[in-house]
Amino acid sequence: MSDQAIVEKLKAKFSSEILDVVEFRGETTVTMKKEQIVDICTFMRDDFGYNLLCDLCGVDYLGKSPRFMVVYNLYNISTKQRIRIKAPVAEQDANIDTVSTVWGTANWHERECWDLMGIKFNNHPDLRRILMPADWEGHPLRKDYPLQGPDREPYQGRLS
Amino acid sequence: MGVEQPKTLGSGFVTTSLDKLVNWSRASFMWPLTFGLACCAIEMMATGAARFDLDRMGILFRASPRQADVIIIAGTVTKKMVPVIQTVYEQMPEPKYVIAMGACASSGGIFDTYSTVQGVDEFLPVDVYIPGCPPRPEGLLYGLMKLQDKIRAERNTFGAAIGVGDVIHNKA
């Protein structure tokens, strides 16, 4: 099934959820509202065979509203097809439903996203930090996090 | 009058000769811990392998901190790694020495970021710093020889070993 046919079926089933469809150099990206993300992902897995979640990541568009975007890169192992789903997440109380019930691998990806971006995943079975130490404060991959850490003076350039 | 001399066995012929014996044995059998953190560890392994051959200097990597005299901090130290390094360092028996190998262990190197320790001397007493990114095996060998010089220049090592006073560190 072509990407276009998949997008058409998505549009038919979740017409009110689709925000944007972009095709660029053979890659299809569908932007969806976050509320029904679990249903959308289950639909993608069961009806189109996207049985592998390659990556789940957060993007920080600082200054834009909504600020965050959660990106799901899906892969169909049998047909070798890829598709990308994006869901915008607002800065205030950033949260989105977990898809770890759809793909087990989402568990650790969502922990990483929580750790570095500070996006909460509702109903996640074990939402702990995964890369930073357990007692770390803040989410370092956010654009407004100081690169050298909050306890140091920022680098001012060479003095000489 | 009133100036307190450090407690030692003195500097007589017998004690200094015994110090020399202790220093000779410590400098001749420096056993580093098998411990690497990043690309510097690859150079450290190359130094231990056939071409540069640390074994000829009596330097054998030990897989247990209980048997090690030296810890070579070879690589980038992240803040998450600090408690691990501290635990391993505290498990080593005295006397123990620390070599900061490479730019990262000495100063944080290019990783001037929130997650990286800006030099291992923030939490360990470093004896020798080796520059380079990573240092070539010759660099590590030179650093180890500098540490041997430092050990040979120590005084009252015999006295400290039998419980009289502390080791006096002199400039090599």
Side-chain angles (χ1 to χ4, degrees):
Chain A
M1 197 185 294
S2 70
D3 283 1
Q4 277 174 332
I6 290 168
V7 171
E8 288 309 313
K9 290 207 170 182
L10 257 180
K11 276 182 177 164
K13 192 164 166 66
F14 297 99
S15 56
S16 61
E17 300 295 308
I18 289 199
L19 298 171
D20 190 22
V21 180
V22 177
E23 203 199 319
F24 180 72
R25 296 196 175 176
E27 293 180 7
T28 307
T29 306
V30 189
T31 312
M32 315 280 273
K33 287 182 194 167
K34 69 170 188 180
E35 278 74 21
Q36 290 193 44
I37 194 71
V38 180
D39 293 340
I40 293 161
C41 288
T42 314
F43 182 63
M44 296 300 282
R45 184 194 62 183
D46 293 345
D47 290 45
F48 305 122
Y50 284 106
N51 44 11
L52 174 64
L53 176 71
C54 282
D55 193 17
L56 184 157
C57 51
V59 187
D60 184 0
Y61 295 102
L62 182 64
K64 285 189 183 172
S65 185
R67 180 174 165 183
F68 298 108
M69 196 79 92
V70 176
V71 185
Y72 303 83
N73 289 296
L74 312 184
Y75 185 59
N76 182 334
I77 294 175
S78 42
T79 64
K80 300 178 180 171
Q81 270 185 303
R82 290 178 193 276
I83 200 164
R84 185 180 299 118
I85 291 178
K86 298 205 284 188
V89 175
E91 179 175 8
Q92 191 68 35
D93 188 26
N95 71 87
I96 188 169
D97 289 341
T98 177
V99 294
S100 57
T101 47
V102 186
W103 299 283
T105 188
N107 187 321
W108 280 24
H109 282 135
E110 287 176 348
R111 279 178 63 189
E112 183 188 1
C113 190
W114 154 249
D115 189 359
L116 301 176
M117 277 287 173
I119 299 170
K120 275 204 186 79
F121 288 86
N122 307 324
N123 307 321
H124 191 281
D126 183 26
L127 197 63
R128 287 181 292 135
R129 288 187 181 275
I130 189 168
L131 292 172
M132 304 307 293
D135 57 349
W136 196 267
E137 283 176 20
H139 304 285
L141 279 198
R142 285 190 172 190
K143 294 277 186 196
D144 52 2
Y145 191 90
L147 173 64
Q148 286 148 324
D151 51 343
R152 278 181 59 198
E153 287 283 308
Y155 181 61
Q156 304 287 349
R158 284 181 63 168
L159 297 172
S160 56
Chain B
M1 292 283 275
V3 179
E4 207 170 315
Q5 292 292 322
K7 197 177 163 194
T8 63
L9 280 182
S11 52
F13 174 74
V14 175
T15 49
T16 50
S17 300
L18 286 168
D19 285 352
K20 270 184 192 166
L21 179 71
V22 172
N23 293 349
W24 167 80
S25 84
R26 282 180 185 167
S28 307
F29 311 100
M30 290 196 308
W31 286 354
L33 185 60
T34 311
F35 181 75
L37 293 168
C39 30
C40 278
I42 304 293
E43 294 297 301
M44 191 173 73
M45 285 183 264
T47 320
R51 180 170 177 150
F52 294 94
D53 195 13
L54 277 181
D55 291 13
R56 72 198 155 92
M57 296 164 71
I59 298 171
L60 315 173
F61 284 103
R62 303 304 296 180
S64 162
R66 300 290 188 203
Q67 301 169 350
D69 309 304
V70 185
I71 183 166
I72 302 174
I73 309 291
T76 317
V77 183
T78 57
K79 285 180 185 167
K80 203 176 179 181
M81 200 66 196
V82 168
V84 181
I85 297 174
Q86 274 177 328
T87 307
V88 167
Y89 177 75
E90 281 161 14
Q91 284 174 341
M92 287 164 57
E94 296 275 359
K96 49 193 174 185
Y97 302 92
V98 179
I99 292 179
M101 179 184 179
C104 292
S106 303
S107 70
I110 59 168
F111 301 105
D112 191 8
T113 62
Y114 59 89
S115 59
T116 311
V117 178
Q118 300 301 304
V120 77
D121 50 7
E122 285 185 12
F123 61 95
L124 285 187
V126 178
D127 292 287
V128 177
Y129 298 86
I130 305 174
C133 185
R136 277 191 55 84
E138 291 94 324
L140 179 57
L141 285 172
Y142 188 70
L144 287 162
M145 287 191 286
K146 279 284 172 199
L147 181 58
Q148 285 180 331
D149 290 345
K150 183 174 177 173
I151 293 172
R152 286 194 197 101
E154 283 175 357
R155 290 292 167 260
N156 198 41
T157 45
F158 182 79
I162 60 168
V164 181
D166 294 317
V167 174
I168 299 163
H169 300 277
N170 294 323
K171 270 192 178 168

